[in-house]
Amino acid sequence: MLFLLLLPWLPARGAGRDSTRLAVEARFHHGFVVPHHTSMTYLLNDYARGGELNLLRQRFGSDCWENYLRRPETGLGLWYSTFGRSDIYGEGWALYPFINFHILETGPLQLRYRVALGLGYANKPFKVGENTYNTVFGSHLNAYVGFGLQATYRLHRHWRLSTGASLNHMSNGSSRKPNNGINTVAWNMGLSYDLQPFSHEQWQRNKAPRSAHREWVFSASMGRNQAAAYNPTRYWSGSITATHLWYRTSTRAYGVGLDLLKFGGAPLASMNFQDLDVNQHFSSSDEIYAGILAGMESLLGTTALYINLGAYIYQATPARQPVYARLGIRQKLYQNWHGHFGIKANFFTAEFIEFGLAYRLSRNRDKASPGKKEKL
């Protein structure tokens, strides 16, 4: 996971004619916790406040993948926030890679949207007899997901002013219960400093080449989860997936596939506490599911962001929802081998965090046509 967090700063292939902008950014944010469970409504008594420190990289040149996506900013961020009730929910930190995608650029003004995925830490999780009101964090270690809309204005060759809004989520993916997770909505303001004087690069933008590439992606994942709050046992979960991808361009692919899933402790997750039978036993075969999925991958050099939407075609134990989702990041390790980190969830609850390996098997060589160039 640490390797994935460092991805934005690893050198990329095919960027021999690059020039690179590096910057440091500090932001203050002020907002509120979304009370998505009734119990939270009566416990929250303050705003969510905090800040973040970001290291940004923006590359220019015709040979790098960023050129196909209108020069996004990539980087590594450190985030801190209170959660509206410090004596119960404590505070949280997160470390994550991010990408700021281009929306609009006119003169010194830029508008971008952010996607971030990383690791979070909560300093006051649920603890029997001490912090029983905290039903949002069952463990110190959590996953962090962040989305944002950001406007920046260049004040000087070195300095930029920024403002925007963000939605931040932290939960442990049901690795420990309780795990309602927490969501904050915040407005932010910040200032960034370019480590070298800004100069507008003379460059040509390439539209991403059309691609006829096809490939299979075979992956295996595993993780641990606590299926129910009344049972402290942690179970092994995982999946084996085969996905066929059709590339539309060199930076985007769509696919369909098959999933074989094991959701550890599935009968407990589907059972209400009042229906619990202490004499009831279940076997590992009761934890098996199969599904069909459709998905999309955004390819960012040797890194890919993926999202899948699936529907169950076999359920040993009835699932809470007939559909499920998966969001994650995949990184090339060696030749056709890739490592990945993701979250598997139904539409209302994360079921487990999964780590795994994937193997890409090409069906045919890329027959991409040359990209069109536009002077900007």
Side-chain angles (χ1 to χ4, degrees), residues 29-154:
H29 60 250
H30 181 93
F32 58 92
V33 173
V34 180
H36 59 295
H37 284 265
T38 306
S39 62
M40 298 176 67
T41 305
Y42 302 100
L43 295 176
L44 297 170
N45 63 6
D46 199 359
Y47 293 99
R49 302 183 183 91
E52 57 186 275
L53 183 65
N54 300 310
L55 302 177
L56 299 108
R57 182 187 76 171
Q58 186 179 25
R59 298 195 302 161
F60 304 83
S62 59
D63 294 340
C64 55
W65 61 265
E66 289 95 332
N67 192 43
Y68 297 141
L69 299 176
R70 301 181 69 90
R71 298 177 299 167
E73 297 171 335
T74 58
L76 189 68
L78 178 65
W79 175 87
Y80 162 80
S81 182
T82 62
F83 293 128
R85 187 69 185 264
S86 293
D87 59 327
I88 295 177
Y89 301 125
E91 294 86 34
W93 289 262
L95 181 66
Y96 50 85
F98 64 85
I99 181 167
N100 296 334
F101 289 100
H102 174 278
I103 298 178
L104 173 70
E105 182 174 353
T106 173
L109 179 66
Q110 294 182 348
L111 186 64
R112 300 179 182 273
Y113 69 93
R114 165 177 291 196
V115 179
L117 178 64
L119 290 177
Y121 178 86
N123 69 344
K124 254 190 166 176
F126 171 88
K127 192 170 184 180
V128 176
E130 292 185 19
N131 194 19
T132 55
Y133 287 107
N134 186 351
T135 60
V136 300
F137 298 125
S139 63
H140 287 293
L141 190 63
N142 291 266
Y144 168 85
V145 181
F147 301 97
L149 184 65
Q150 199 72 25
T152 62
Y153 188 86
R154 189 173 69 252

